[in-house]
Amino acid sequence: MGTPEFPHLGKHCSVGDCRQIDFLPFTCDRCNQVFCLQHRGYFNHQCPNANQNDVTVLICPLCAKGVRLVLGEDPNVTWDSHVNTDCDPSNYQRATKKRRCPVPGCKEVLSLSNSVRCKDCTEEHCLKHRFGPDHKCPGPRKPDSGFSFGGMFNKNQKGKSLQDRSSNSSSWWGSSLMKAVSNIRASAESGMMKVNNVTTQALQKAKSGTAESSSGGELVEQCVQCRARFSTVSALIEHVERSHQQSSRAGGNRVTIDVCPKCSKGFRDPVALVEHVERDH
């Protein structure tokens, strides 16, 4: 048994009448015994565990479902358990009903291999009637061309309401913005007019001699253009004639300074004053 190089090669067949020495024996996966080539099958060596992994399924005549028999359990017990828990007679018609080609006169049973779904009518037909002219296909479904006055009226009403809302909102924003700009400009112009009137009245009073000097030497008179303070009106007039009138004459034209009514900041350009009021105040 075996060779000098492989002494453990080969075994006797487990069948009592055979006992043949096989150098490449077969091991049964159910009973784990060794057999020769002739007795390697389950039936040939009468394997006691031949049906250990077998699966037996019976079709229920009531619901057409498959009932699997449990190994080592009485089939009657398995059948009673299925009838009491899982059996549904209403499933019999769905399971046994065969799909056939819908063409009149055709009795071809449809399956996965011989059925074709039409792209136009979305119905399944046999291979013989798979083309449109063969099963009289009505063609793709046409869109509804009917004209509904109600839908058009609703659309018009919706569009009109949206347009009214957008126009109302845009007009409200535009009117509010224009009102705000006009109010700011009016306040700036009124402040400028007040400052100019006060300055003109002070100069007229000083020139006419009606202005009185303040008592105690306090700096009560203030220059409108450079914000310098003086104790008397005469000193203010001398300052204006000496500092501001000479500079305006040297420039050719008299420079007018506009004062912000909020923060008393001077600007040479009225547009800059308006932008300053809109931005800061």
Side-chain angles (χ1 to χ4, degrees), residues 44-55:
N44 295 330
H45 66 267
Q46 298 179 358
C47 183
N49 301 327
N51 59 349
Q52 184 177 3
N53 296 332
D54 291 347
V55 177

Side-chain angles (χ1 to χ4, degrees), residues 258-275:
D258 299 323
V259 182
C260 177
K262 301 290 183 179
C263 61
S264 302
K265 187 176 181 181
F267 296 91
R268 294 185 178 182
D269 188 5
V271 178
L273 173 60
V274 174
E275 292 179 355

Side-chain angles (χ1 to χ4, degrees), residues 71-99:
L71 182 65
E73 186 180 17
D74 189 2
N76 295 324
V77 176
T78 306
W79 175 257
D80 293 339
S81 176
H82 163 70
V83 171
N84 295 328
T85 58
D86 195 27
C87 187
D88 184 12
S90 62
N91 187 56
Y92 184 83
Q93 293 295 334
R94 295 193 299 267
T96 58
K97 185 178 180 180
K98 297 180 180 180
R99 297 185 302 119

Side-chain angles (χ1 to χ4, degrees), residues 217-266:
E218 297 180 358
L219 301 178
V220 295
E221 302 296 337
Q222 185 179 9
C223 179
V224 181
Q225 298 183 6
C226 64
R227 296 302 177 183
R229 291 183 176 273
F230 301 93
S231 60
T232 59
V233 179
S234 59
L236 174 60
I237 294 173
E238 292 178 0
H239 162 71
V240 172
E241 293 178 351
R242 182 176 64 254
S243 301
H244 301 293
Q245 291 183 0
Q246 292 179 0
S247 61
S248 62
R249 289 173 184 174
N253 295 326
R254 186 174 180 179
V255 179
T256 303
I257 297 179
D258 299 323
V259 182
C260 177
K262 301 290 183 179
C263 61
S264 302
K265 187 176 181 181

Side-chain angles (χ1 to χ4, degrees), residues 26-43:
F26 296 89
T27 302
C28 180
D29 58 349
R30 305 293 174 85
C31 60
N32 295 325
Q33 294 184 4
V34 179
F35 300 96
C36 63
L37 179 62
Q38 183 180 358
H39 298 98
R40 69 183 185 278
Y42 300 141
F43 179 77

